[in-house]
Amino acid sequence: RNLKVVVIDDGSTDHTAEVLAQRFPDVAVLRGNGDLWWTGATALGVAYVLDRCDSGDFVLTLNNDTTVGPEYVQTLVQVALDEGRRAVVGSVAVDSRDGDTIADGGPYVNWLTAKSGSRNVGQSLREVVDAGVTTTRPDFLPGRGTLIPVKCIRAVGNFDATRLPQYAADYEFSTRAARAGCHLVMS
């Protein structure tokens, strides 16, 4: 209920900003010139929010191709609250074709063996949840649907658009967050 939506329009040519202004006048639209890439756009949105939020608030990053259900935000916030507001909470990704096959259930890496992957990939989300698994503890988090406490962002800084303009900035950010004492949880 207490949401503020911020859209980064990074040089689109389809009149995104105008359509949003007409259909959703409460949405803040920040414009780029097409050179922001994922990290620059995310960092711009985070910086905008940090100037306008309270220390107990959260920032939720969502990619433009992400779809979520009606209880999505409430679920992520509840997980964060259950973790004492010290958790960065990522979202399990499912295949859009069936809405149930897990595509990313929480990235992990074993640095000694160089083996990596994601938990529960290829399994049915319904079956995993029915078996009692509602969260996992990943080694890092993707940014395509991640709830971050404002206090965590202020402690570790924003996403690094200079060094990592498109890929891995989400993993790098969540690694910094974990080193600063924030729990990483995939919900």
Side-chain angles (χ1 to χ4, degrees):
R1 286 176 283 201
N2 298 319
L3 298 176
K4 176 67 176 171
V5 176
V6 179
V7 173
I8 311 305
D9 179 4
D10 189 26
S12 69
T13 58
D14 63 357
H15 307 289
T16 293
E18 292 81 6
V19 170
L20 287 171
Q22 288 176 342
R23 291 187 179 174
F24 305 100
D26 292 337
V27 169
V29 178
L30 308 180
R31 292 181 184 235
N33 63 6
D35 293 331
L36 291 176
W37 297 82
W38 183 89
T39 312
T42 302
L44 178 63
V46 168
Y48 176 86
V49 170
L50 288 178
D51 285 342
R52 292 158 177 80
C53 67
D54 294 327
S55 62
D57 289 341
F58 296 95
V59 171
L60 175 61
T61 62
L62 282 173
N63 285 10
N64 62 331
D65 60 352
T66 304
T67 58
V68 299
E71 305 297 322
Y72 177 74
V73 174
Q74 180 179 341
T75 299
L76 294 183
V77 169
Q78 188 59 55
V79 170
L81 295 176
D82 291 347
E83 293 284 329
R85 293 182 167 268
R86 293 289 303 159
V88 179
V89 184
S91 304
V92 170
V94 296
D95 189 316
S96 63
R97 292 170 293 192
D98 66 16
D100 185 57
T101 303
I102 297 174
D104 185 356
Y108 64 84
V109 64
N110 181 324
W111 295 105
L112 295 176
T113 64
K115 293 193 183 230
S116 63
S118 181
R119 290 169 179 80
N120 305 311
V121 169
Q123 296 181 32
S124 161
L125 177 63
R126 268 189 313 278
E127 291 175 9
V128 169
V129 170
D130 287 348
V133 178
T134 57
T135 61
T136 61
R137 301 290 177 163
D139 291 329
F140 31 82
L141 289 168
R144 70 178 162 268
T146 304
L147 185 77
I148 310 164
V150 164
K151 285 183 181 179
C152 179
I153 299 169
R154 289 189 173 141
V156 304
N158 204 336
F159 290 84
D160 188 348
T162 303
R163 292 187 317 123
L164 300 164
Q166 178 65 12
Y167 297 107
D170 46 1
Y171 286 8
E172 187 274 336
F173 175 85
S174 62
T175 300
R176 277 189 284 135
R179 287 183 181 152
C182 294
H183 311 148
L184 302 184
V185 180
M186 198 80 156
S187 172

